[in-house]
Amino acid sequence: MRVLVKLFAMLRAERFDEKEMEFPAGTTAGDVVRFLGIPEREVTLIFVNGRHSESGTVLGEGDMLALFPPIGGG
């Protein structure tokens, strides 16, 4: 299945901003994070199709997965 993966802020470093990727059926958001080699502690917000999701969310054909690092500031 094809999934559009979007990375934000520091997660983009040496990776990509946005990329359509192919995964087997049953793939979760957490599986994608691990596939990309991103330490799970670096992903604090996960959105699937614009809705807040968890790492265990199963992705479907044509989904958009957005991954965000911890929000900094002060």
Side-chain angles (χ1 to χ4, degrees):
M1 73 180 162
R2 290 179 184 221
V3 174
L4 179 63
V5 179
K6 293 184 173 187
L7 303 178
F8 291 86
M10 67 180 223
L11 297 180
R12 293 176 169 175
E14 298 184 30
R15 291 184 185 96
F16 55 87
D17 294 351
E18 181 177 306
K19 185 177 184 180
E20 189 171 82
M21 302 180 77
E22 191 82 27
F23 295 102
T27 297
T28 66
D31 293 334
V32 174
V33 170
R34 287 184 289 280
F35 175 81
L36 294 173
I38 300 171
E40 290 185 45
R41 70 183 181 284
E42 290 183 14
V43 178
T44 57
L45 288 174
I46 297 172
F47 286 86
V48 176
N49 300 325
R51 299 188 75 166
H52 185 262
S53 300
E54 302 296 328
S55 63
T57 301
V58 177
L59 302 172
E61 176 67 34
D63 279 351
M64 182 194 63
L65 173 65
L67 304 173
F68 295 83
I71 305 298

Coordinates of all heavy atoms in Angstrom, one line a residue:
M1 N 0.8 -1.2 0.0 CA 0.0 0.0 0.0 C 0.9 1.2 0.0 O 2.0 1.2 0.5 CB -0.9 0.0 1.2 CG -0.2 0.3 2.5 SD -1.3 0.2 3.9 CE -0.1 0.1 5.2
R2 N 0.4 2.3 -0.6 CA 1.1 3.6 -0.6 C 0.7 4.5 0.5 O -0.5 4.6 0.7 CB 0.9 4.2 -2.0 CG 1.6 3.5 -3.1 CD 1.4 4.1 -4.4 NE 2.0 3.3 -5.4 CZ 2.6 3.8 -6.4 NH1 2.8 5.0 -6.6 NH2 3.2 2.9 -7.3
V3 N 1.7 5.1 1.1 CA 1.4 6.0 2.2 C 2.3 7.3 2.0 O 3.5 7.1 1.7 CB 1.8 5.4 3.6 CG1 1.7 6.4 4.7 CG2 0.9 4.1 3.9
L4 N 1.7 8.4 2.2 CA 2.5 9.7 2.1 C 3.0 10.0 3.5 O 2.2 10.1 4.4 CB 1.6 10.8 1.6 CG 2.3 12.2 1.5 CD1 3.4 12.1 0.4 CD2 1.3 13.2 1.1
V5 N 4.3 10.0 3.6 CA 4.9 10.3 4.9 C 5.5 11.7 4.9 O 6.2 12.1 4.0 CB 6.1 9.2 5.2 CG1 6.7 9.5 6.5 CG2 5.5 7.8 5.1
K6 N 5.1 12.5 5.9 CA 5.6 13.8 6.1 C 6.4 13.9 7.4 O 5.9 13.5 8.4 CB 4.5 14.8 6.1 CG 3.8 14.9 4.7 CD 2.7 16.0 4.8 CE 2.1 16.3 3.5 NZ 1.2 17.4 3.5
L7 N 7.6 14.5 7.3 CA 8.4 14.7 8.5 C 8.5 16.2 8.8 O 8.6 17.0 7.8 CB 9.8 14.1 8.3 CG 9.9 12.6 7.9 CD1 11.3 12.1 7.7 CD2 9.2 11.7 9.0
F8 N 8.6 16.5 10.0 CA 8.7 17.9 10.4 C 9.9 18.2 11.3 O 10.3 17.3 12.0 CB 7.4 18.3 11.1 CG 6.2 18.3 10.2 CD1 5.5 17.2 9.9 CD2 5.8 19.5 9.5 CE1 4.4 17.2 9.1 CE2 4.8 19.5 8.6 CZ 4.1 18.3 8.4
A9 N 10.3 19.5 11.2 CA 11.4 20.0 12.0 C 12.7 19.1 11.9 O 13.1 18.7 10.9 CB 10.9 20.2 13.5
M10 N 13.2 18.8 13.1 CA 14.5 18.0 13.1 C 14.4 16.6 12.6 O 15.4 16.0 12.2 CB 15.1 18.0 14.5 CG 14.3 17.2 15.5 SD 15.0 17.2 17.1 CE 14.8 15.5 17.5
L11 N 13.2 16.1 12.4 CA 13.0 14.7 11.9 C 13.4 14.7 10.4 O 13.7 13.7 9.8 CB 11.6 14.2 12.1 CG 11.2 14.1 13.5 CD1 9.7 13.5 13.5 CD2 12.1 13.1 14.3
R12 N 13.4 15.9 9.7 CA 13.8 16.0 8.3 C 15.3 15.9 8.1 O 15.7 15.5 7.0 CB 13.3 17.3 7.8 CG 11.8 17.5 7.7 CD 11.5 18.9 7.2 NE 10.0 18.9 7.0 CZ 9.4 20.0 6.6 NH1 10.1 21.2 6.5 NH2 8.1 20.0 6.4
A13 N 16.1 16.1 9.1 CA 17.5 16.2 8.9 C 18.0 14.9 8.3 O 17.8 13.8 8.8 CB 18.2 16.4 10.3
E14 N 18.7 15.0 7.2 CA 19.3 13.9 6.4 C 18.2 12.9 6.0 O 18.6 11.7 5.7 CB 20.4 13.3 7.2 CG 21.5 14.3 7.4 CD 22.7 13.6 8.1 OE1 23.0 12.4 7.9 OE2 23.4 14.4 8.8
R15 N 16.9 13.2 5.9 CA 15.9 12.3 5.5 C 15.2 13.0 4.3 O 15.7 13.1 3.2 CB 15.0 12.0 6.6 CG 15.6 11.1 7.7 CD 14.6 10.7 8.8 NE 15.3 10.0 9.8 CZ 15.7 10.5 11.0 NH1 15.5 11.8 11.2 NH2 16.3 9.7 11.9
F16 N 14.0 13.5 4.6 CA 13.2 14.1 3.5 C 12.1 14.9 4.2 O 11.8 14.7 5.4 CB 12.6 13.0 2.6 CG 11.8 12.0 3.3 CD1 10.4 12.2 3.6 CD2 12.4 10.8 3.7 CE1 9.7 11.2 4.3 CE2 11.6 9.8 4.4 CZ 10.3 10.0 4.7
D17 N 11.4 15.7 3.4 CA 10.3 16.5 3.9 C 9.0 15.7 3.8 O 8.2 15.6 4.7 CB 10.1 17.8 3.2 CG 11.3 18.8 3.4 OD1 12.1 18.5 4.3 OD2 11.3 19.8 2.8
E18 N 8.8 15.2 2.6 CA 7.6 14.5 2.2 C 7.9 13.4 1.2 O 8.7 13.7 0.2 CB 6.6 15.5 1.6 CG 5.3 15.0 1.2 CD 4.4 16.1 0.7 OE1 4.2 17.1 1.4 OE2 3.9 16.0 -0.4
K19 N 7.4 12.2 1.3 CA 7.7 11.1 0.4 C 6.6 10.1 0.4 O 6.1 9.7 1.5 CB 9.0 10.5 0.9 CG 9.6 9.4 0.0 CD 10.9 8.9 0.5 CE 11.6 7.9 -0.4 NZ 12.9 7.5 0.1
E20 N 6.2 9.7 -0.8 CA 5.3 8.6 -0.9 C 6.1 7.3 -0.8 O 7.1 7.1 -1.5 CB 4.5 8.6 -2.2 CG 3.4 7.6 -2.3 CD 2.5 7.8 -3.5 OE1 2.9 7.3 -4.6 OE2 1.5 8.5 -3.4
M21 N 5.6 6.4 0.1 CA 6.4 5.2 0.3 C 5.4 4.0 0.2 O 4.2 4.1 0.4 CB 7.0 5.2 1.7 CG 8.0 6.4 1.9 SD 8.7 6.5 3.5 CE 9.9 5.2 3.3
E22 N 6.0 2.8 0.0 CA 5.2 1.6 -0.2 C 5.5 0.7 1.1 O 6.6 0.5 1.4 CB 5.7 0.8 -1.4 CG 4.9 -0.3 -1.9 CD 3.6 0.1 -2.6 OE1 3.6 1.1 -3.3 OE2 2.6 -0.7 -2.6
F23 N 4.4 0.2 1.7 CA 4.5 -0.7 2.8 C 3.5 -1.8 2.7 O 2.4 -1.7 2.0 CB 4.1 0.1 4.1 CG 5.1 1.2 4.4 CD1 4.8 2.5 4.2 CD2 6.4 0.9 5.0 CE1 5.8 3.5 4.5 CE2 7.3 1.9 5.3 CZ 7.0 3.2 5.0
P24 N 3.7 -2.9 3.4 CA 2.7 -4.0 3.3 C 1.5 -3.7 4.1 O 1.5 -2.9 5.1 CB 3.5 -5.2 3.9 CG 4.6 -4.6 4.7 CD 4.9 -3.3 4.1
A25 N 0.4 -4.3 3.8 CA -0.9 -4.1 4.6 C -0.6 -4.5 6.0 O 0.2 -5.4 6.3 CB -1.9 -5.0 4.0
G26 N -1.2 -3.8 6.9 CA -1.1 -4.0 8.3 C 0.0 -3.2 9.0 O 0.2 -3.3 10.2
T27 N 0.7 -2.4 8.2 CA 1.8 -1.6 8.7 C 1.2 -0.5 9.7 O 0.2 0.1 9.4 CB 2.6 -0.9 7.6 OG1 3.2 -1.9 6.8 CG2 3.7 0.0 8.1
T28 N 1.9 -0.3 10.8 CA 1.5 0.7 11.7 C 2.3 2.0 11.6 O 3.4 1.9 11.0 CB 1.6 0.2 13.2 OG1 2.9 0.0 13.5 CG2 0.7 -1.1 13.4
A29 N 1.9 3.0 12.2 CA 2.7 4.3 12.3 C 4.0 4.0 12.9 O 5.1 4.5 12.4 CB 1.9 5.4 13.0
G30 N 4.0 3.2 14.0 CA 5.3 2.9 14.7 C 6.2 2.1 13.8 O 7.4 2.2 13.9
D31 N 5.7 1.2 13.0 CA 6.5 0.4 12.0 C 7.2 1.4 11.1 O 8.4 1.2 10.8 CB 5.6 -0.5 11.2 CG 5.0 -1.7 12.0 OD1 5.6 -2.0 13.1 OD2 4.0 -2.2 11.6
V32 N 6.5 2.4 10.6 CA 7.2 3.4 9.7 C 8.3 4.1 10.4 O 9.4 4.3 9.9 CB 6.1 4.4 9.1 CG1 6.8 5.5 8.3 CG2 5.1 3.6 8.3
V33 N 8.0 4.5 11.7 CA 9.1 5.3 12.4 C 10.3 4.4 12.5 O 11.4 4.8 12.3 CB 8.5 5.6 13.8 CG1 9.7 6.1 14.7 CG2 7.4 6.7 13.7
R34 N 10.1 3.1 12.9 CA 11.3 2.2 13.0 C 11.9 2.0 11.6 O 13.2 1.9 11.5 CB 10.8 0.9 13.6 CG 10.5 1.0 15.1 CD 10.2 -0.3 15.8 NE 8.8 -0.8 15.4 CZ 7.7 -0.4 15.9 NH1 7.7 0.5 16.8 NH2 6.5 -0.9 15.5
F35 N 11.1 1.8 10.6 CA 11.7 1.6 9.2 C 12.6 2.8 8.8 O 13.6 2.6 8.2 CB 10.6 1.5 8.2 CG 11.0 1.4 6.8 CD1 11.5 0.2 6.3 CD2 11.0 2.5 6.0 CE1 12.0 0.1 5.0 CE2 11.5 2.4 4.7 CZ 11.9 1.2 4.2
L36 N 12.2 4.0 9.2 CA 13.0 5.2 8.9 C 14.2 5.4 9.8 O 15.0 6.3 9.6 CB 12.1 6.4 9.0 CG 11.0 6.5 8.0 CD1 10.1 7.7 8.3 CD2 11.5 6.6 6.6
G37 N 14.3 4.5 10.8 CA 15.5 4.6 11.7 C 15.4 5.8 12.7 O 16.4 6.3 13.2
I38 N 14.2 6.3 13.0 CA 14.0 7.4 13.9 C 13.8 6.8 15.3 O 12.9 6.0 15.5 CB 12.8 8.2 13.5 CG1 12.9 8.8 12.1 CG2 12.5 9.4 14.5 CD1 11.7 9.5 11.5
P39 N 14.6 7.2 16.3 CA 14.3 6.7 17.6 C 12.9 7.1 18.1 O 12.5 8.3 17.9 CB 15.4 7.5 18.5 CG 16.5 7.8 17.5 CD 15.8 8.1 16.2
E40 N 12.2 6.2 18.6 CA 10.8 6.4 19.0 C 10.6 7.6 19.9 O 9.6 8.3 19.9 CB 10.1 5.2 19.5 CG 10.0 4.1 18.5 CD 9.2 2.9 18.9 OE1 8.2 3.1 19.6 OE2 9.7 1.8 18.6
R41 N 11.6 7.9 20.8 CA 11.5 9.0 21.7 C 11.5 10.4 21.0 O 11.2 11.4 21.6 CB 12.6 8.9 22.8 CG 14.0 9.2 22.2 CD 15.1 9.0 23.3 NE 16.4 9.3 22.8 CZ 17.1 8.5 22.0 NH1 16.6 7.3 21.6 NH2 18.2 8.9 21.5
E42 N 12.0 10.4 19.7 CA 12.1 11.6 19.0 C 10.8 12.0 18.3 O 10.7 13.0 17.7 CB 13.2 11.5 18.0 CG 14.6 11.6 18.6 CD 15.7 11.6 17.6 OE1 15.5 11.8 16.4 OE2 16.9 11.3 18.1
V43 N 9.8 11.1 18.3 CA 8.5 11.3 17.7 C 7.5 11.4 18.8 O 7.2 10.5 19.5 CB 8.1 10.2 16.7 CG1 6.7 10.4 16.1 CG2 9.1 10.0 15.6
T44 N 7.0 12.6 19.0 CA 6.0 12.8 20.1 C 4.6 13.1 19.6 O 3.6 12.9 20.4 CB 6.4 14.0 21.0 OG1 6.6 15.2 20.2 CG2 7.7 13.7 21.7
L45 N 4.4 13.5 18.3 CA 3.1 13.7 17.8 C 3.0 12.9 16.5 O 3.9 13.0 15.6 CB 2.8 15.1 17.5 CG 2.6 16.0 18.7 CD1 2.5 17.5 18.2 CD2 1.3 15.6 19.4
I46 N 1.9 12.1 16.3 CA 1.6 11.3 15.1 C 0.2 11.7 14.6 O -0.7 11.7 15.4 CB 1.7 9.8 15.4 CG1 3.1 9.4 15.9 CG2 1.3 9.0 14.2 CD1 3.2 8.0 16.4
F47 N 0.1 12.1 13.4 CA -1.1 12.4 12.8 C -1.3 11.5 11.6 O -0.4 11.3 10.7 CB -1.2 13.8 12.3 CG -1.4 14.8 13.5 CD1 -0.3 15.3 14.2 CD2 -2.7 15.2 13.9 CE1 -0.5 16.1 15.2 CE2 -2.8 16.1 14.9 CZ -1.7 16.5 15.6
V48 N -2.5 10.9 11.4 CA -2.9 10.1 10.2 C -4.1 10.8 9.6 O -5.1 10.9 10.3 CB -3.2 8.6 10.6 CG1 -3.6 7.9 9.3 CG2 -1.9 7.9 11.2
N49 N -3.9 11.3 8.4 CA -5.0 12.0 7.7 C -5.5 13.2 8.5 O -6.7 13.4 8.6 CB -6.1 11.0 7.4 CG -5.6 9.9 6.5 OD1 -4.8 10.1 5.6 ND2 -6.2 8.7 6.6
G50 N -4.6 13.9 9.2 CA -4.9 15.1 9.9 C -5.5 14.8 11.3 O -5.9 15.8 12.0
R51 N -5.6 13.6 11.7 CA -6.1 13.3 13.1 C -5.1 12.7 14.0 O -4.3 11.8 13.6 CB -7.3 12.3 12.9 CG -8.4 12.8 12.0 CD -9.6 12.0 12.1 NE -10.2 12.2 13.4 CZ -11.4 11.7 13.7 NH1 -12.1 11.1 12.8 NH2 -11.9 12.0 14.9
H52 N -5.0 13.2 15.2 CA -4.1 12.7 16.2 C -4.2 11.2 16.3 O -5.3 10.6 16.4 CB -4.3 13.3 17.6 CG -3.3 13.0 18.6 ND1 -3.5 12.0 19.5 CD2 -2.0 13.4 18.8 CE1 -2.4 11.9 20.2 NE2 -1.5 12.7 19.8
S53 N -3.1 10.5 16.3 CA -3.0 9.0 16.3 C -1.9 8.5 17.2 O -1.2 9.3 17.7 CB -2.8 8.5 14.9 OG -3.9 8.9 14.0
E54 N -1.9 7.2 17.4 CA -0.9 6.6 18.2 C 0.1 5.7 17.3 O -0.3 5.4 16.2 CB -1.5 5.7 19.2 CG -2.5 6.4 20.2 CD -1.8 7.5 21.0 OE1 -0.6 7.3 21.4 OE2 -2.5 8.5 21.3
S55 N 1.2 5.3 17.9 CA 2.1 4.5 17.1 C 1.5 3.2 16.6 O 1.9 2.6 15.6 CB 3.4 4.3 17.9 OG 3.1 3.5 19.0
G56 N 0.5 2.7 17.3 CA -0.1 1.4 17.0 C -1.2 1.5 15.9 O -1.8 0.5 15.5
T57 N -1.5 2.7 15.4 CA -2.5 3.0 14.4 C -2.1 2.2 13.1 O -1.0 2.5 12.6 CB -2.7 4.5 14.1 OG1 -3.1 5.1 15.3 CG2 -3.7 4.7 13.0
V58 N -3.0 1.4 12.6 CA -2.7 0.7 11.4 C -3.0 1.6 10.2 O -4.1 2.2 10.2 CB -3.6 -0.6 11.3 CG1 -3.4 -1.3 9.9 CG2 -3.3 -1.5 12.4
L59 N -2.1 1.7 9.3 CA -2.3 2.6 8.1 C -3.0 1.9 7.0 O -3.0 0.6 6.9 CB -0.9 3.0 7.6 CG 0.0 3.8 8.7 CD1 1.4 4.0 8.2 CD2 -0.7 5.1 9.1
G60 N -3.6 2.7 6.1 CA -4.3 2.1 5.0 C -3.8 2.8 3.7 O -3.1 3.8 3.7
E61 N -4.2 2.2 2.6 CA -3.9 2.7 1.3 C -4.2 4.2 1.2 O -5.4 4.6 1.5 CB -4.6 1.9 0.2 CG -4.4 2.4 -1.2 CD -3.0 2.2 -1.7 OE1 -2.3 1.2 -1.4 OE2 -2.5 3.1 -2.5
G62 N -3.3 5.0 0.7 CA -3.5 6.4 0.5 C -3.5 7.3 1.7 O -3.7 8.5 1.6
D63 N -3.2 6.7 2.9 CA -3.1 7.5 4.1 C -1.9 8.5 4.1 O -1.0 8.3 3.4 CB -2.9 6.7 5.4 CG -4.3 6.0 5.9 OD1 -5.3 6.4 5.3 OD2 -4.2 5.2 6.7
M64 N -2.1 9.6 4.8 CA -1.0 10.6 5.0 C -0.6 10.5 6.5 O -1.4 10.7 7.4 CB -1.4 12.0 4.7 CG -0.2 12.9 4.9 SD -0.7 14.7 4.9 CE -1.7 14.7 6.4
L65 N 0.7 10.2 6.7 CA 1.3 10.0 8.0 C 2.2 11.2 8.3 O 3.1 11.4 7.5 CB 2.0 8.7 8.1 CG 2.9 8.5 9.4 CD1 2.0 8.4 10.6 CD2 3.7 7.3 9.3
A66 N 1.9 12.0 9.3 CA 2.8 13.1 9.7 C 3.4 12.9 11.0 O 2.7 12.5 12.0 CB 1.9 14.4 9.7
L67 N 4.7 13.1 11.1 CA 5.5 12.8 12.3 C 6.2 14.1 12.8 O 6.8 14.8 12.0 CB 6.5 11.7 12.0 CG 6.0 10.4 11.5 CD1 7.2 9.5 11.1 CD2 5.1 9.7 12.5
F68 N 6.0 14.4 14.1 CA 6.5 15.6 14.7 C 7.4 15.3 15.8 O 7.1 14.4 16.6 CB 5.4 16.5 15.2 CG 4.5 17.0 14.1 CD1 3.5 16.3 13.6 CD2 4.7 18.3 13.6 CE1 2.6 16.7 12.7 CE2 3.9 18.8 12.6 CZ 2.8 18.0 12.1
P69 N 8.5 16.0 16.0 CA 9.4 15.9 17.2 C 8.8 16.6 18.4 O 7.8 17.3 18.2 CB 10.7 16.5 16.7 CG 10.2 17.6 15.9 CD 9.1 17.0 15.1
P70 N 9.4 16.5 19.5 CA 9.0 17.3 20.7 C 8.9 18.8 20.3 O 9.8 19.3 19.6 CB 10.0 17.0 21.8 CG 10.6 15.8 21.4 CD 10.6 15.7 19.9
I71 N 8.0 19.5 20.8 CA 7.9 21.0 20.5 C 8.8 21.7 21.5 O 8.7 21.5 22.8 CB 6.4 21.4 20.7 CG1 5.5 20.6 19.8 CG2 6.3 22.9 20.4 CD1 5.8 20.7 18.3
G72 N 9.6 22.5 21.0 CA 10.5 23.3 21.9 C 10.1 24.7 21.9 O 9.2 25.2 21.2
G73 N 10.7 25.5 22.8 CA 10.4 26.9 22.8 C 10.5 27.4 24.3 O 10.8 26.6 25.2
G74 N 10.1 28.6 24.5 CA 10.0 29.1 25.8 C 10.0 30.5 25.9 O 9.8 31.3 25.2

